[in-house]
Amino acid sequence: MAWLTKSRFISGLQCPKRLWFEVHQPLEEGLPESVLFLNGRAVDRLAQTRKPGTVVSRERGMPAAIAETSRLIRLGAPPVMYQPAFRAGDLAVIADVLETGGFGVTLTEVKSSTRVKPEHVPDAAFQALVIRKSGIPVDRVLLAHIDRGFELKTAGDYDGLLVDEDVTSEVEASLPAIEETATRLQEVMAEHQQPAIRMGAQCTSPYECPFIDRCSAQSGATPDYPVKLLPRSGKAVEALLAEGYADLADVPADRLSGKIHQ
């Protein structure tokens, strides 16, 4: 399927080569379900308990979810829909929450982090772009995240664990660039040859790319001691990759300041 979905958009935003691999040469075993991914799904389920609403199943795949969402809208969209799916041309998304009420149409993206991070805005903006193009006039965009000050006082009572932060202005400001990026990434997906992109900071930021080993092998012999082996060193690994280091054996001793890294 050649649709540019949200996950593909986020991959391409990090590195077009990652997107190309996911479309043309995916990992045989598929992408692993990380702890962050599983935590995200758990928080999604928690978000669905905040207000009564209709959950659109994603179990039968994106096309079926899009068809079910369209059916619900034709019948009169429920005030709150969880996991609704939308398509506009070759763009497609599954949103976390879409609500119709006093503020018009509100899109809420749910995250398991304790704050809004820079990478969250383009994520929400791509969803708003696609949903608007599908004919739904999104008026407001919220990002729901964990309240780090939350205290569990009664077992099983997580009311208040999620807080909403309005990111509408940030999303609106980014939409022109998001649309241009979506067009460029569709072109990347259509290419027969993988993009010529050197390894660098994008290999680990904002997420660790699952194709690091493949790119390392393409750039030469696979390192005996890849720099990503450094513990608790996200920024350090980003810097080393950006400087062209792939093997810890090549890194000067005085380049690593932390005792555990030395």
Side-chain angles (χ1 to χ4, degrees):
M1 184 180 299
W3 294 348
L4 181 63
T5 61
K6 185 183 83 165
S7 62
R8 286 176 174 174
F9 177 82
I10 297 303
S11 293
L13 200 61
Q14 177 174 351
C15 177
K17 193 173 184 180
R18 173 178 180 172
L19 170 63
W20 192 91
F21 278 144
E22 289 183 4
V23 173
H24 295 278
Q25 297 177 6
L27 296 173
E28 291 184 5
E29 66 276 16
L31 297 179
E33 291 191 347
S34 67
V35 172
L36 288 177
F37 175 84
L38 295 175
N39 283 345
R41 283 295 178 88
V43 174
D44 283 344
R45 290 193 292 272
L46 172 64
Q48 293 170 12
T49 66
R50 299 171 83 192
K51 295 179 181 179
T54 300
V55 180
V56 177
S57 174
R58 62 169 68 177
E59 298 304 319
R60 292 184 295 131
M62 175 79 83
I66 292 172
E68 176 61 13
T69 302
S70 297
R71 186 186 72 82
L72 289 171
I73 292 175
R74 285 196 306 271
L75 295 176
V80 180
M81 287 193 292
Y82 295 108
Q83 309 296 331
F86 302 89
R87 177 187 174 191
D90 290 331
L91 308 179
V93 295
I94 294 179
D96 287 331
V97 190
L98 198 71
E99 183 177 359
T100 303
F103 291 95
V105 179
T106 299
L107 167 67
T108 302
E109 170 68 3
V110 181
K111 295 296 184 185
S112 59
S113 65
T114 56
R115 60 184 176 86
V116 175
K117 297 180 180 180
E119 60 267 25
H120 294 162
V121 172
D123 182 335
F126 179 71
Q127 295 177 62
L129 173 71
V130 177
I131 296 172
R132 282 182 177 178
K133 283 181 173 292
S134 74
I136 305 298
V138 174
D139 299 293
R140 188 171 66 145
V141 182
L142 305 179
L143 196 137
H145 61 82
I146 301 294
D147 180 1
R148 65 190 309 164
F150 173 80
E151 295 182 10
L152 182 64
K153 298 179 179 179
T154 304
D157 182 6
Y158 295 101
D159 185 36
L161 177 61
L162 289 175
V163 293
D164 295 324
E165 193 162 334
D166 195 316
V167 294
T168 306
S169 59
E170 294 92 329
V171 165
E172 293 290 357
S174 68
L175 279 175
I178 293 295
E179 187 163 12
E180 290 181 8
T181 301
T183 299
R184 176 171 55 83
L185 294 180
Q186 286 178 285
E187 294 171 352
V188 170
M189 292 168 60
E191 290 290 336
H192 296 295
Q193 297 293 326
Q194 62 181 263
I197 297 176
R198 295 184 60 183
M199 295 186 70
Q202 78 278 1
C203 297
T204 55
S205 178
Y207 314 103
E208 180 168 316
C209 177
F211 299 99
I212 285 181
D213 291 340
R214 181 182 294 179
C215 288
S216 297
Q218 289 182 348
S219 62
T222 302
D224 292 325
Y225 304 99
V227 295
K228 69 175 184 176
L229 288 178
L230 289 174
R232 301 192 298 276
S233 58
K235 291 184 177 179
V237 169
E238 289 178 24
L240 291 172
L241 288 172
E243 293 169 26
Y245 293 111
D247 196 321
L248 283 172
D250 298 327
V251 178
D254 59 0
R255 177 62 182 77
L256 301 175
S257 57
K259 290 184 178 180
I260 191 172
H261 292 167
Q262 292 176 345

